[in-house]
Amino acid sequence: MSTKHEQILRHIEELAVGEKISVRQIARALTVSEGTAYRAIKEAENNKLVNTIERVGTVRIEKKKKENIERLTFAEVVNIVDGSVLGGSGGLHKTLTKFLIGAMQLDDIRRYIDAGSLLIVGNRQKAHQLAISEGAAVLVTGGFDTTDEVKELANSLDLPVITTSYDSFTVATMLNRAISDQMIEKDILLVEDIQHQLSNTSTLFIQETVGQFNELSQRTSHSAFPVIERNGKVVGMVTSKDVVGKLESEPLGKVMTASPITATGKMSVASAGHIMVWEGIDLLPVVTETGLLDGVISRQDVLKAFQLAQRQPQQGQTIDDIVKNQMHSDTENPQNVIFEVIPQMTNQLGSLSYGALTTLLAETGNRAIKLYKRGESVPENLSIYFMRHVQLGSKVTVEPEILHMSRRVVKMEISLYAEGEMIGKSLVTYQLLER
């Protein structure tokens, strides 16, 4: 049986796109407390099912698919530019296809604008009216207002007219940054992207026995299963190691690992991979916010996801991407890395930042491990025990040396040199992600 929280989320999902909701309305409709309604609406906002706008309210918006995440809704635009809605609030859930700055004559604006566009312009009321008439929304910069006629037209066509105190250049920069951030988010693999769905997941109930585990294991060729209650709540994990030497009639509740480590669909695959390596787990249950089983992921799934991600083109650039782009293998010694410090990698003093440095060290070690054909690895511990100032423009040579390698762990010393002088030393421990 679903909880009140889940019932509210399902109710919100079933609302029509563009419909307004409120805490009081949800509480009254579903006979729940306002506190429960508020928490559910906040989660719906985090899941991008609704968007809350000051002086307008909370609006049901269309949940964007991952492949289309680089588009913004007009409601998101309002929040990004700290704007206010002058008219057309009924269209805030709509998605803009492109934006353009109206620094041109009206006839030229007409050539470039089309339905779904966002015109960024100052206090040019004729341009406002033209854009709305052509099916586009308007973002008025400089904190200016528009005419009552434009507001009425915007309300009748459900096309937002938004005002912001920022200038046109700043607004365009803010929107570009928001789109770039969303494209980076699109590149991040989540557990929900690779998990085996509940319909394809073999499970056992806590009331079942070791004998039933053996039957299921023989039938599926799997050696580990989530253990659930009748309502679907995960209460344990049971593996072939747990049942060795146990009587067939022994209840699973007595042999399973209770309160197992779990993942959620919104957890990154990298985080799930780290958990599986550090905890020695081969199968991780995926649960909903209320602890109900939603599927599973295996160590093999994580490994395949890592390998696939490395072959995919990146749409947005994180700091890690920028650092990796500056790393090149030494032609004479392939395990060594040649690296140049560029402005994005420096701190306020013009030195190589610690964030860029740790990425450089961790990635150099990963490359060295792959050269030994040991596959994927994750850094577990990193200690920098000698470091000198590395200034902007410096060309750095990074030399990794494997001190110890076992089946699961690699210990490596990494040295940094600039102009023939040692500028840093670090000790890094990696866990190997084996098949």
Side-chain angles (χ1 to χ4, degrees):
M1 186 174 178
S2 58
T3 64
K4 290 181 179 179
H5 185 83
E6 290 174 315
Q7 290 172 13
I8 297 170
L9 287 175
R10 191 158 55 246
H11 172 77
I12 292 172
E13 283 185 27
E14 292 169 355
L15 293 175
V17 172
E19 189 169 338
K20 289 186 181 180
I21 61 173
S22 68
V23 170
R24 187 170 297 176
Q25 170 198 335
I26 293 290
R28 189 182 300 119
L30 298 181
T31 321
V32 296
S33 70
E34 292 191 1
T36 301
Y38 175 79
R39 286 190 292 274
I41 289 173
K42 278 299 174 186
E43 184 176 330
E45 193 168 5
N46 292 335
N47 293 339
K48 297 184 179 173
L49 289 170
V50 300
N51 204 298
T52 302
I53 301 164
E54 192 176 353
R55 293 189 294 277
V56 173
T58 302
V59 183
R60 172 74 167 92
I61 60 173
E62 185 175 4
K63 188 172 183 179
K64 290 174 286 186
K65 294 181 181 177
K66 204 162 190 182
E67 61 269 20
N68 193 32
I69 202 169
E70 65 270 17
R71 290 189 177 184
L72 298 172
T73 63
F74 294 118
E76 289 172 311
V77 171
V78 176
N79 291 332
I80 290 165
V81 302
D82 297 324
S84 299
V85 181
L86 301 176
S89 61
L92 287 168
H93 64 279
K94 296 178 180 177
T95 303
L96 68 141
T97 55
K98 67 178 183 181
F99 65 85
L100 67 154
I101 297 175
M104 57 190 87
Q105 297 294 331
L106 287 179
D107 288 341
D108 293 321
I109 290 177
R110 184 178 280 108
R111 286 168 49 198
Y112 288 101
I113 204 162
D114 50 32
S117 300
L118 175 68
L119 178 66
I120 301 171
V121 68
N123 58 340
R124 298 174 60 190
Q125 281 83 8
K126 289 185 178 179
H128 302 170
Q129 187 161 3
L130 171 64
I132 297 294
S133 301
E134 295 290 329
V138 177
L139 178 52
V140 185
T141 56
F144 293 108
D145 202 342
T146 191
T147 63
D148 291 339
E149 184 181 357
V150 169
K151 292 176 185 177
E152 289 174 10
L153 184 61
N155 287 331
S156 66
L157 297 177
D158 283 338
L159 290 169
V161 178
I162 305 160
T163 183
T164 177
S165 58
Y166 295 111
D167 60 81
S168 297
F169 174 79
T170 302
V171 163
T173 302
M174 294 166 83
L175 294 180
N176 268 322
R177 176 59 188 269
I179 291 171
S180 175
D181 287 350
Q182 288 200 348
M183 290 178 78
I184 290 171
E185 183 182 336
K186 177 173 117 176
D187 290 332
I188 297 171
L189 274 174
L190 302 179
V191 166
E192 66 184 8
D193 298 323
I194 68 167
Q195 74 182 62
H196 298 274
Q197 297 303 317
L198 184 58
S199 57
N200 297 323
T201 301
S202 300
T203 61
L204 288 161
F205 291 111
I206 192 170
Q207 297 86 355
E208 294 187 284
T209 64
V210 168
Q212 288 167 304
F213 168 90
N214 291 331
E215 289 175 13
L216 184 60
S217 180
Q218 189 172 9
R219 189 168 70 248
T220 62
S221 299
H222 296 159
S223 59
F225 305 98
V227 181
I228 60 175
E229 293 179 334
R230 291 294 177 188
N231 62 0
K233 189 177 181 66
V234 176
V235 291
M237 281 291 297
V238 62
T239 70
S240 54
K241 292 179 183 178
D242 298 322
V243 302
V244 171
K246 301 295 190 298
L247 295 173
E248 293 268 313
S249 58
E250 190 85 17
L252 293 180
K254 289 188 176 181
V255 301
M256 70 180 188
T257 301
S259 303
I261 297 170
T262 60
T264 64
K266 296 300 179 184
M267 179 185 285
S268 71
V269 171
S271 296
H274 282 217
I275 290 171
M276 296 177 86
V277 168
W278 290 336
E279 300 292 341
I281 297 171
D282 292 320
L283 190 73
L284 195 61
V286 183
V287 299
T288 66
E289 294 291 334
T290 53
L292 302 181
L293 185 66
D294 194 41
V296 293
I297 58 168
S298 68
R299 188 180 290 232
Q300 186 73 12
D301 297 328
V302 172
L303 188 60
K304 285 180 180 177
F306 280 172
Q307 293 168 343
L308 177 64
Q310 290 169 3
R311 295 195 292 267
Q312 298 300 312
Q314 298 297 304
Q315 301 298 320
Q317 279 209 321
T318 64
I319 294 297
D320 277 15
D321 295 326
I322 294 170
V323 171
K324 291 174 185 177
N325 288 340
Q326 291 299 309
M327 297 174 64
H328 306 285
S329 294
D330 188 340
T331 52
E332 296 181 2
N333 193 339
Q335 77 170 11
N336 292 350
V337 168
I338 309 297
F339 176 82
E340 182 176 355
V341 181
I342 61 175
Q344 294 96 318
M345 303 171 192
T346 58
N347 58 25
Q348 68 272 24
L349 302 176
S351 300
L352 178 65
S353 72
Y354 286 114
L357 175 62
T358 53
T359 297
L360 171 63
L361 294 169
E363 183 62 18
T364 298
N366 277 327
R367 290 185 179 202
I369 291 169
K370 285 180 181 176
L371 283 175
Y372 278 83
K373 298 182 173 58
R374 291 303 301 266
E376 302 298 326
S377 59
V378 292
E380 181 182 48
N381 184 281
L382 189 153
S383 301
I384 301 170
Y385 55 90
F386 171 64
M387 197 67 219
R388 288 172 55 185
H389 170 82
V390 185
Q391 69 179 24
L392 175 65
S394 295
K395 283 188 169 55
V396 179
T397 300
V398 191
E399 298 183 0
E401 180 186 357
I402 294 176
L403 303 176
H404 171 75
M405 179 180 285
S406 67
R407 190 173 65 86
R408 298 281 295 271
V409 177
V410 178
K411 291 186 178 180
M412 188 179 304
E413 186 176 64
I414 302 177
S415 305
L416 293 86
Y417 297 87
E419 298 179 0
E421 290 187 15
M422 181 178 288
I423 56 172
K425 260 191 178 293
S426 175
L427 184 66
V428 190
T429 303
Y430 295 86
Q431 288 271 6
L432 294 174
L433 186 61
E434 296 183 321
R435 291 180 180 275

